[in-house]
Amino acid sequence: MNPHCISFLNYIRYEKNYSEKTMSSYASDLGEYEDFITRKTGEFDPLHPDIDLVRSWMAEMGKNHLSVATVKRRVSCVRSFCKYLRKHNLIESNPLTLLPSPKVPKTLPVWIPEDQMDVLLDKIEYGQDFNGVRDHLLIDLLYSTGMRRSEAAGLKDSDVDVNMMQLKVTKGKGNKQRLIPFGQELKSLIEQYRDRRDAEVGGPTEMLFTDIDGNGLSPAKVTSIAHKYLSELDQLPRKGAHVLRHSFATNMLAEGADLMAVKELLGHASLESTEIYTHLTPKDLIENYKQAHPRAK
C-alpha cells in the first residue's frame, strides 16, 4: 500500500482513535481505490486526486452491482483521505469536496411491536441454567437500552451500576461514552444473572456477559443468541440483534419520547440517523386517518 495511505491509516488509528473494525474498512476501501487508479493510469499518485477518475470508479462499482451504501462508504473514505492530505499540506486542494455522495435509498427498520416484545420477554422459556439466565438478560438489555451488539459484547461488569440503575456504554469509534438508565425489571435480571454467573463461573468477571468458562462474548455470539430467541416470533423478516435496537427506538418514540433524547440514548452522531424511527405503523396510520380526516368520522 502507498506510504501516504499507511500514514492516513495510522492517523485515524492513533490520533482519531478509530476502532479496529473501522480501520479494516478504511484499509480495504483505500486498497480498492489504489487498485482502480493503478489499472486506469498505470500508477497510483494520491497527491494528484482526479474527480473524473473517482466518477469512473463509482460507475464501475455500479456496473459490478455493488450496493449504493458500499459505493457511498468507499467514496467517503477517499474523500476523508484527501482531506487528510490537504490538512497536512500535501495537496493544494481537495477536488472531491465537489463530488456529491450517492443517495442511499431509505428503508424502514424492522422492529417488534410492544405486544410481541411482551411475548419475547415474558412468555418465551429461556431456562434457569446459566445460559438461559444470561440470554434472558441479554435480550432484555438490548431492548431496554437500545445498545448495539458490539456495545453489549464490550460491556464491562464495572460499567453496570445497579444502585444508580444506569450503565456506561463505550462506542468503538472515538471511544465516546454515554450513560443509559434502566428500570427495576432489568435491575432484577442483572442481579439474578450476576449471582448465577459468580456461582458457576467462579466470581465477578471483567466483562458482564460471559460464557460458562468466563470468556467474554463476541458480537457474533450476541447476534447468534438474539437470532435464537427472535426466531420464536412469527413472520419477523430479520432476526439479528439490531432488530431489538430498532424496536427500542421505535417504541420509545411511539410512546411520546423526545427525538433528541432518543438520539442521545442511541448514541447517534446526528439527528438524521434517529429520524428514520419516526415512521408510523399501519395501525398508527389508520388511527390518524380516523381522527383527522373529515370524511372518516
Side-chain angles (χ1 to χ4, degrees), residues 175-193:
N175 283 335
K176 296 179 182 178
Q177 294 184 333
R178 67 186 187 277
L179 292 176
I180 303 178
F182 55 82
Q184 183 63 47
E185 183 176 340
L186 188 59
K187 174 183 177 179
S188 298
L189 290 176
I190 293 170
E191 292 173 333
Q192 180 185 0
Y193 163 71

Side-chain angles (χ1 to χ4, degrees), residues 23-37:
M23 279 284 299
S24 178
S25 294
Y26 270 66
S28 175
D29 293 342
L30 279 179
E32 294 289 340
Y33 172 60
E34 183 174 346
D35 288 345
F36 175 82
I37 300 299

